[in-house]
Amino acid sequence: MQNSLWLQNAETISSDTLSTSVDCDVCIVGGGLSGIYTAYLLAKKGVNVVLLEAKSAPAIGTTGHSTGKLTPQHGVIYSKLLKFFSTEDVYTYYQTNKNAIESALKVASDDSFERVDSYLYATTVPGKQTIEKELYAYKELNIPGVETTETELPFDVTLALKMENTAQIHPTKFATHFLNLALKEGAAVYTNSRVTKVEIDEKFVLTENDSKVTFKKLVLCTHYPIESIKGLITTKLSIDRSYLLASQADNLLKGHYLSVESSSRTIRTALIGDTPYFIYGGSSHIAGEVENTQTYYETLKDEMQTTFNVPEPPFLWSAQDPNTPDLVPYIGQISEDTPDLYIATGYRKWGLSSSLVAGEILSSLTTNEDHQAAHLFSPTRDQFGKNFLKGLSTIGFVTANLAEGYLTRMEAPKCTHLGCKTRWNDGDETWDCPCHGSRYDKNGNVIEGPAVYPLKMKK
Ligand SMILES: Cc1cc2nc3c(=O)[nH]c(=O)nc-3n(C[C@H](O)[C@H](O)[C@H](O)COP(=O)(O)OP(=O)(O)OC[C@H]3O[C@@H](n4cnc5c(N)ncnc54)[C@H](O)[C@@H]3O)c2cc1C
């Protein structure tokens, strides 16, 4: 059923498949916004970059299935971050995102973004209290925010928190523009080139057809870290999936909205050509956990048609994103033992601005420059304490799913990552792995990792 508004309405770029051996300074695996923006910034510095993308075109993975909000208002975040990090670090989180957005917008194509305000809104008393806590954090951190009960929504809110003059993008157009700039600056881009093997010590990767890229530094922008790498942080990432629908609309909103209630909803509009669209989404759950996902689409469709009076949505899509235990993405060197291996992941559904942050940090670190926020985003940061327990519960989840899968889903194909039994997802017609979020199409081809090999389907 995957039918993203952004993929029907943008030109994508296909390149050659890698079919020879090449050498480069920096090899980037993964052509979503993270990989593309990193490639652009590195190529602009004159670095010899190779970008490898598994799909037929870049920016059609999670980036092309997002909501397209480009804002430092990452849901309710600042009040939560203050529990884990110093005030200075939390402000750095805000400022790094804000600066990365503003730098990218100066270069972005005019038809790929628009300026809007970002709103968090509540419809209940507990929701109002959540916003009050977030507002308190904004004040403590000196983040500009406006408290209001006036919104464009067709129902009363108990409180809303506005961050003014943020942005929203057409994610595929936005990313494709930066891909074009990266190509102009000399980056080499290969599509249909899935990396299946990574040799860190000998510094090369192999693609599906055994083509080889030898690198000085390797950057993994595969969304979820691909398998086969020693010491990876996979057990610290949980993955949430949610659903989006788009219908034609009568008018455009000046803001985009996110509810802070337990069943959160996201709202924005977009002008595609001359047609306004209303986009509505939510219904988050742990990826791979649910079989009957069609019900999520049905619930959202009913709500959007009833509350916002829009026609039947022709576009329905879903996507997933990994979370880190302390809410800050992992961007940087994976570990001190692997100095030439870098990663960007764990974006918690705020990966459009985080991809821009990743581009800035990774293009600095891989060229031996410092970045003032590198310590905060570093995957080697260690402040887990109670987060360690959350990590353990993720490990427990994998173990439980291995066992439960073998007992209850005997006929389902085994994930080629760690062997968990996959689950058939009837809404999207995919095989989903509940352990680390790998997804396969109905024929068993990988849609997203960590798996890199197709399912072995029974005849
Ligand atoms: C429902 C939903 C809505 C969202 N809305 C927003 C939003 O409004 N604002 C926001 O800031 N964020 C949002 N996000 C988050 C954001 O979309 C993602 O975090 C971001 O797009 C991730 O970008 P990426 O480049 O890391 O990953 P991707 O865009 O997924 O790119 C990774 C690429 O790596 C490729 N790849 C994987 N494995 C290999 C391999 N072995 N070899 C070669 N290539 C490989 C994939 O094919 C893919 O193209 C949303 C997320 C979800 C799930």
Side-chain angles (χ1 to χ4, degrees), residues 16 97 106 175 220 422:
D16 292 340
N97 275 281
K106 281 189 195 136
L220 294 180
T422 56

Side-chain angles (χ1 to χ4, degrees), residues 30 32-34 53-54 62-63 66-69 195 321 349-352:
L33 187 56
S34 297
E53 167 54 45
T62 321
T63 299
S66 66
T67 320
K69 297 176 175 176
V195 168
D321 224 22
K349 295 190 193 145
W350 293 106
L352 298 179

Side-chain angles (χ1 to χ4, degrees), residues 140-160:
E140 198 173 330
L141 295 161
N142 229 352
I143 296 175
V146 180
E147 193 180 357
T148 181
T149 48
E150 300 291 315
T151 72
E152 304 159 280
L153 301 173
F155 46 77
D156 288 340
V157 301
T158 47
L159 191 59

Side-chain angles (χ1 to χ4, degrees), residues 6-73:
W6 315 118
L7 299 189
Q8 304 298 314
N9 290 289
E11 278 181 27
T12 51
I13 302 175
S14 288
S15 310
D16 292 340
T17 301
L18 182 68
S19 56
T20 52
S21 294
V22 292
D23 289 356
C24 63
D25 293 332
V26 181
C27 174
I28 300 172
V29 186
L33 187 56
S34 297
I36 291 172
Y37 199 64
T38 307
Y40 158 66
L41 292 180
L42 281 171
K44 204 164 71 135
K45 284 182 171 183
V47 176
N48 173 5
V49 189
V50 168
L51 176 78
L52 300 172
E53 167 54 45
K55 295 186 196 300
S56 58
I60 64 174
T62 321
T63 299
H65 290 84
S66 66
T67 320
K69 297 176 175 176
L70 192 65
T71 170
Q73 189 182 65

Side-chain angles (χ1 to χ4, degrees), residues 28-36 52-55 57-71 74 193-196 221-224 226 240-244 266 268 282 317-322 344-355 446-452:
I28 300 172
V29 186
L33 187 56
S34 297
I36 291 172
L52 300 172
E53 167 54 45
K55 295 186 196 300
I60 64 174
T62 321
T63 299
H65 290 84
S66 66
T67 320
K69 297 176 175 176
L70 192 65
T71 170
H74 291 180
S193 301
R194 181 178 297 280
V195 168
T196 50
C221 291
T222 50
H223 187 227
Y224 197 93
I226 49 173
D240 279 345
R241 184 158 201 90
S242 43
Y243 299 79
L244 288 160
T266 186
R268 69 164 280 191
W317 68 100
S318 74
Q320 62 194 42
D321 224 22
T345 188
Y347 292 158
R348 209 180 61 95
K349 295 190 193 145
W350 293 106
L352 298 179
S353 67
S354 304
S355 290
V446 178
I447 300 175
E448 57 192 298
V452 295

